[in-house]
Amino acid sequence: MKVNTLVKTACERVGSDDFGADTWQEGLDVLVAALNGEAHLNDLGEQVFVDQIVGYLANRLEVEQWYRGHPEIDDEEIVAPLFGLGLPRTGSTALSFLLACDATRRSLRTWEAGHPCPPPESHSADTDPRIAEAQAGIDMTNEMFPGFVGLLPTSAVGPQECILLMAMDFRSQVFEGMAFIPTYNAWLMHCDMEPAYRFHERVLKLLQWRCPPNRWWLKSPSHMHSIEALNAVYPTARFVITHRDVTEVLPSVCALTEALSSVLCECPDPALLGPHNATLWAEALRRFIVFRDHNDDGRFFDVPFRAMQRDPLSEVERLYGELGHDLSAQSRSRMQTWWEASAAERKATAHEPDRFGLDVPAMRQQFAFYHERFVTS
C-alpha cells in the first residue's frame, strides 16, 4: 500500500487535487506505515483499507469543491451541539437511535456520513439514492463479517458516529477497530486533534446548509481522548455520558474488534486486544474526568446502562428535562416504537474476558477511579 497511489487514485476519481488544509497528510503517512508494517493484512484486508482510505480522500476533495463553489457555506454556525461520550458498549448507540427519533434534532445519518457530497437537501433527504447505497453497504458488511451481525443497531437512515468525518483528516479511531496498528494508535493519542475537529465542523456546516434542523446530536466514545480539542472548536457543546461496569464493557469491545479484524488479518491474536483496550480507555476516561473537573458541571449529563435497559423512555425524559428541552408526544411515541422493534439488535451477549487477555480483578483495580466516581449500573 503506497500513499502516493492512494492519493492519485482519489484525485483521478474526483477530478481535483485540492484537499484544502494539509493537516491530513501526516496521519495518512502514519496510518499506511502501520498498516504495512504491523497489521498483517490479508488480501481482503488490504483491499478493504485501500477502498476505505481512497473513499475518505475522495470525500475530502468533494467537500473542498463545494466550499470553493459556495463560500457562503462557511457562514453556517454549529451552535451548542450535544455530544454523546462514555465507553464503547455502554448503550450509547441505542441512545443515539432514540434521540434520532426526535425530528427537531439533527443526527449524522449513516448515508450522509459515508458520502456527504452533494450536501443533502430537505426536500429529498428521505429519498436520496445514497440511502439505498448505504443499505447495500450494510448488507455487504454483514455478509463479510458475520460475527459483527447483531452487535450494534445499524440503519442507513440511522445515526452514525461522527469519527467518520474526522477520518477525512486521518485523525480518527475508526481505523483501529479493523486492525491492530499500535504505532498509529500511539500517534493518535498524542497528536494535535484540533485540525480534525476543524474539518469535522466544516462538514457539519456543509450538511446543515440546505438541510436543517441545526440542533446537532453527535456521538463517539473516542471524543473522550481528545476532549480538549473538541472543546476548542465547540466551546458551547454539552455532553451526555453513558456508563457501564468496565468488566462487561471491555470484553464486549474486544469481541466487536475481533469480529471485524479477524476477517482482514492473516494471524489475528485476540489476547492482544484486552490489554490494548484497557490502556486505551483508562487513559480516555482520565482525560475526560480532568476536563470535567475543570468545567461547569451543568454541561454534563450521566446515563447509567442498567437504568436505560430498565426504562429507556424515563431516562430520555429525565435527560430532556436536565437539558431544558421539550420531548413531544410524537417523538416519545417514535422512540418507544424503535425500542420495541430493535430488541433483537440490542440483545446483550456475554464474552469471556480470558479470551482477550483480561482479568476481572485487575480490571476492577485499573478502573477503580472510574467506578468510584460514577454510577455504572
Side-chain angles (χ1 to χ4, degrees):
M1 198 181 308
K2 295 182 178 179
V3 170
N4 289 344
T5 302
L6 297 168
V7 173
K8 180 181 178 181
T9 302
C11 291
E12 291 175 347
R13 178 184 296 181
V14 178
S16 171
D17 62 359
D18 184 358
F19 289 95
D22 63 3
T23 56
W24 57 276
Q25 295 174 339
E26 182 181 1
L28 179 58
D29 288 340
V30 177
L31 173 64
V32 170
L35 290 171
N36 287 336
E38 298 172 340
H40 303 291
L41 298 175
N42 55 30
D43 290 343
L44 174 63
E46 180 156 348
Q47 187 58 54
V48 165
F49 271 100
V50 166
D51 291 346
Q52 187 182 55
I53 291 170
V54 170
Y56 287 130
L57 287 167
N59 282 346
R60 185 178 180 111
L61 287 167
E62 291 176 346
V63 168
E64 293 305 317
Q65 280 186 330
W66 275 91
Y67 268 89
R68 286 197 305 276
H70 300 273
E72 70 273 17
I73 296 170
D74 207 28
D75 295 333
E76 293 287 320
E77 295 183 358
I78 310 300
V79 179
L82 184 62
F83 281 89
L85 308 180
L87 293 170
R89 316 303 289 156
T90 56
S92 57
T93 301
L95 179 60
S96 285
F97 271 81
L98 287 173
L99 297 186
C101 293
D102 183 348
T104 69
R105 196 175 296 282
R106 181 73 154 85
S107 295
L108 177 66
R109 295 164 292 204
T110 295
W111 65 267
E112 62 186 353
H115 295 283
C117 298
E121 299 182 65
S122 295
H123 69 85
S124 59
D126 295 330
T127 59
D128 194 293
R130 284 170 288 184
I131 296 173
E133 294 173 9
Q135 186 58 54
I138 291 171
D139 294 341
M140 183 172 67
T141 298
N142 290 340
E143 183 176 340
M144 288 175 58
F145 306 98
F148 184 69
V149 178
L151 292 179
L152 286 172
T154 54
S155 168
V157 297
Q160 183 56 259
E161 290 200 8
C162 55
I163 54 170
L164 269 68
L165 307 185
M166 300 165 71
M168 286 183 259
D169 202 60
F170 295 94
R171 299 167 192 253
S172 172
Q173 278 193 343
V174 70
F175 305 107
E176 71 110 18
M178 300 171 62
F180 190 66
I181 42 176
T183 299
Y184 177 77
N185 294 334
W187 174 82
L188 190 66
M189 289 292 289
H190 296 96
C191 73
D192 180 6
M193 288 296 293
E194 190 170 327
Y197 286 106
R198 293 292 173 196
F199 196 80
H200 180 280
E201 181 189 39
R202 196 164 174 79
V203 181
L204 292 187
K205 288 181 176 184
L206 179 73
L207 294 176
Q208 80 173 28
W209 174 46
R210 304 188 302 191
C211 193
N214 302 342
R215 187 168 69 168
W216 283 95
W217 159 255
L218 302 155
K219 171 256 180 185
S220 177
S222 66
H223 291 314
M224 294 192 299
H225 292 102
S226 46
I227 190 70
E228 293 283 359
L230 184 158
N231 189 61
V233 176
Y234 299 110
T236 60
R238 302 171 88 182
F239 306 98
V240 178
I241 307 93
T242 47
H243 298 284
R244 187 182 183 186
D245 189 325
V246 172
T247 63
E248 297 174 352
V249 166
L250 288 179
S252 186
V253 171
C254 293
L256 182 63
T257 303
E258 183 187 29
L260 296 173
S261 62
S262 63
V263 179
L264 305 178
C265 302
E266 292 181 343
C267 48
D269 185 354
L272 293 174
L273 299 177
H276 166 72
N277 276 286
T279 300
L280 185 75
W281 294 110
E283 177 63 19
L285 287 169
R286 291 186 187 280
R287 292 184 184 185
F288 166 70
I289 289 172
V290 168
F291 174 80
R292 182 166 180 166
D293 285 345
H294 288 83
N295 281 272
D296 175 12
D297 203 51
R299 299 177 71 186
F300 306 93
F301 307 92
D302 299 293
V303 179
F305 178 80
R306 295 278 186 258
M308 268 288 293
Q309 298 304 303
R310 285 193 301 267
D311 193 349
L313 271 296
S314 290
E315 284 300 300
V316 170
E317 287 175 338
R318 180 182 65 81
L319 173 61
Y320 269 60
E322 292 180 351
L323 290 168
H325 295 167
D326 293 326
L327 177 61
S328 69
Q330 183 181 32
S331 295
R332 193 186 194 286
S333 177
R334 292 176 63 187
M335 291 176 183
Q336 185 67 49
T337 298
W338 181 85
W339 188 265
E340 293 171 356
S342 64
E345 289 184 287
R346 294 181 288 99
K347 185 177 181 181
T349 302
H351 302 280
E352 291 299 323
D354 292 351
R355 173 175 175 76
F356 303 110
L358 293 168
D359 175 73
V360 171
M363 281 189 282
R364 292 207 177 280
Q365 182 176 2
Q366 185 177 8
F367 288 87
F369 72 96
Y370 169 65
H371 287 135
E372 292 168 1
R373 174 75 178 266
F374 299 104
V375 176
T376 60
S377 60

